[in-house]
Amino acid sequence: MWKDAVPLVRPVLILVASVAGGEIYQSQTVVNVIYALIALGVLWPFARLGRWRELAAARRGRAAAVPDAPAGPPDAPTPSSGRSCVRRACGTPPRPSPPRCAPAG
């Protein structure tokens, strides 16, 4: 299996055997649950960093309801306003950019 590939597996298996006894590994269901918990423990930080919950919600067509997502500032312009929402480090807004194309005339 992947006992040597993931350094977390061997200590967890030894800990479970010392707490519950070695005969617990005779049940395939218990072993599968232990491996699933180890896999969850390894994948959880990457799922949080990669925002997999939001990705899964987007694929299902729903808006992601993530309680720990930071909200934008209340005075941030909406994307439809056409203005840049980038602020300088000193707090002053950037200079307005010239129009992309001049009207024909």
Side-chain angles (χ1 to χ4, degrees):
M1 291 284 259
W2 40 284
K3 290 181 187 177
D4 296 326
V6 180
L8 182 70
V9 174
R10 189 171 302 252
V12 169
L13 293 176
I14 291 171
L15 179 67
V16 169
S18 66
V19 171
E23 65 274 354
I24 194 167
Y25 293 122
Q26 294 177 358
S27 170
Q28 187 63 43
T29 304
V30 171
V31 173
N32 289 344
V33 168
I34 292 170
Y35 278 120
L37 290 174
I38 292 170
L40 181 67
V42 169
L43 290 176
W44 185 260
F46 297 105
R48 299 264 312 177
L49 287 173
R51 298 184 179 193
W52 291 359
R53 182 184 296 173
E54 294 174 13
L55 180 64
R59 285 187 174 254
R60 284 186 298 226
R62 295 188 293 144
V66 181
D68 58 352
D75 61 339
T78 59
S80 62
S81 68
R83 295 185 181 201
S84 173
C85 57
V86 176
R87 300 256 180 207
R88 293 185 186 170
C90 62
T92 59
R95 288 186 219 114
S97 59
R100 293 183 187 248
C101 57

